[in-house]
Amino acid sequence: MPSSPDLHTHSTASDGTLAPADLVARACAAGVETLALTDHDTVVGLAAAAVAAAEAGITLVPGAELSVTWGGRTIHVVGLHLNPGCAELGLGLERIRAFRAWRAEEIGRRLDRHGIPETYAGARALAGDGLVGRTHFARVLVRRGLAQNERDVFKHFLVQGKPGHVPGDWATLEEALGWIRAAGGQAVIAHPARYSLTRTKLRRLLGEFRDLGGAGIEVVCGSHSKDDALVFARHARETGLLASAGSDYHGPESPWLDLGRLPPLPTGCVPIWADWPPVGMSATGPMTAPGTPVPGLSPPLLAQGDQATHGAVL
Ligand code: AMP
Ligand code: MN
Ligand code: MN
Ligand code: MN
């Protein structure tokens, strides 16, 4: 039996370790028929992933995972079925990446002051052409023997209260949802169990998210336990949001869930893919830029780009 769609993965365009085409090939080999590439704050890997998906005969959902600051904390919002050529989305992501670039240098300066030199250069080199994230710093510190694994680096150096922590100054929730909607996409709250929100704050977040046009929340994901999935299935039902599923795969070295191993959604959930076209039915791809069709990309569900600002409702 084919596994669920995997609607949350990363490539070397952000902090994954597989190039987009290699990620697609591995997903296909693992039996994944519908895969979303959702790199942090960039759509740059989508074109290569789309070509690979067309060759492999699987459906690529073009996506991105947007960094958001909400109530003083960082929240991740996955956009699915994005038109990667949408100018409004492009400008928004560019702004987030500008902060990300400054933050990376600032992390380096702070670790430097803490007596750990030249981590920025190391992280920058590891990231290659991709953007620099905290994961790259974590990998550098593990390689230098300063921690046993990436998780420990986060715990001791990169989270709030630790020497390399830099507070987020990302997009607002309203901005992120505006850009995703402008790009014809569906917005999904990523890994909601990871934010350690009180019940009151969680309800406020989900309510605001829904009122801004958000479509769904990740119920099943690589960092959710079985109990988390049940809890968020109930939240989805109560808030009137659809249920999404994604591994948050970052590469074969990462301890998160492997590709093709997603458990099914709990019963009673309405899957976000319930009214998507059946696999293999995506004859017309969206545009990477006006006039440039990309084979293998599934079509966005709503009007594309600027059209979506004229009355598309999520
Ligand atoms: P950034 O967007 O650069 O702040 O980095 C966020 C990314 O760091 C996440 O997408 C994960 O890949 C990784 N990450 C966050 N927390 C942890 C953790 N505790 N252990 C390992 N990786 C983590
Ligand atoms: Mn990541
Ligand atoms: Mn995330
Ligand atoms: Mn992710």
Side-chain angles (χ1 to χ4, degrees):
M1 208 179 93
S3 60
S4 297
D6 188 338
L7 303 177
H8 185 160
T9 66
H10 296 272
S11 75
T12 47
S14 63
D15 58 359
T17 57
L18 295 180
D22 297 334
L23 173 78
V24 168
R26 190 174 168 111
C28 180
V32 177
E33 294 184 342
T34 301
L35 175 78
L37 176 60
T38 57
D39 275 308
H40 295 285
D41 307 320
T42 183
V43 292
V44 79
L46 294 176
V51 171
E55 277 169 12
I58 69 170
T59 299
L60 182 82
V61 175
E65 182 177 14
L66 276 62
S67 307
V68 164
T69 299
W70 181 86
R73 60 181 83 221
T74 297
I75 300 286
H76 286 172
V77 176
V78 165
L80 298 173
H81 284 287
L82 299 174
N83 168 13
C86 170
E88 199 172 330
L89 175 69
L91 285 171
L93 293 180
E94 217 172 283
R95 203 189 86 204
I96 302 185
R97 287 197 303 271
F99 170 70
R100 191 176 262 291
W102 173 84
R103 183 194 67 158
E105 294 190 39
E106 181 63 16
I107 292 174
R109 284 190 288 269
R110 291 185 188 202
L111 290 175
D112 207 43
R113 286 201 291 274
H114 189 67
I116 310 173
E118 306 209 0
T119 53
Y120 173 71
R124 179 63 274 171
L126 263 190
D129 293 334
L131 52 76
V132 183
R134 287 185 297 165
T135 310
H136 300 107
F137 283 91
R139 291 180 189 143
V140 167
L141 267 60
V142 171
R143 284 180 188 198
R144 291 207 199 155
L146 291 164
Q148 287 227 312
N149 54 48
E150 292 173 23
R151 205 173 289 227
D152 279 353
V153 179
F154 274 86
K155 192 169 151 195
H156 297 298
F157 298 97
L158 297 177
V159 296
Q160 195 161 10
K162 300 301 171 184
H165 179 255
V166 180
D169 184 16
W170 308 108
T172 65
L173 192 61
E174 189 173 4
E175 286 171 330
L177 266 68
W179 301 333
I180 290 170
R181 294 183 60 176
Q186 287 178 298
V188 173
I189 300 254
H191 42 65
R194 291 246 301 266
Y195 308 127
S196 311
L197 291 165
T198 61
R199 201 176 160 71
T200 312
K201 282 204 176 132
L202 178 66
R203 280 169 173 266
R204 194 182 309 150
L205 170 66
L206 296 181
E208 277 181 36
F209 175 76
R210 182 203 49 214
D211 294 347
L212 289 166
I217 56 178
E218 280 180 356
V219 167
V220 163
C221 81
S223 52
H224 276 187
S225 67
K226 220 171 166 184
D227 281 350
D228 291 333
L230 293 173
V231 166
F232 286 97
R234 187 161 43 76
H235 279 295
R237 272 199 309 278
E238 287 173 4
T239 328
L241 290 165
L242 302 169
S244 191
S247 59
D248 206 0
Y249 185 74
H250 281 73
E253 314 78 1
S254 305
W256 315 113
L257 199 62
D258 201 355
L259 293 165
R261 306 288 299 275
L262 281 175
L265 290 173
T267 47
C269 289
V270 183
I272 194 164
W273 58 88
D275 59 359
W276 291 2
V279 170
M281 293 296 286
S282 50
T284 50
M287 313 292 177
T288 46
T292 318
V294 173
L297 285 184
S298 67
L301 300 172
L302 301 167
Q304 287 179 15
D306 294 341
Q307 295 165 33
T309 59
H310 305 302
V313 178
L314 276 175

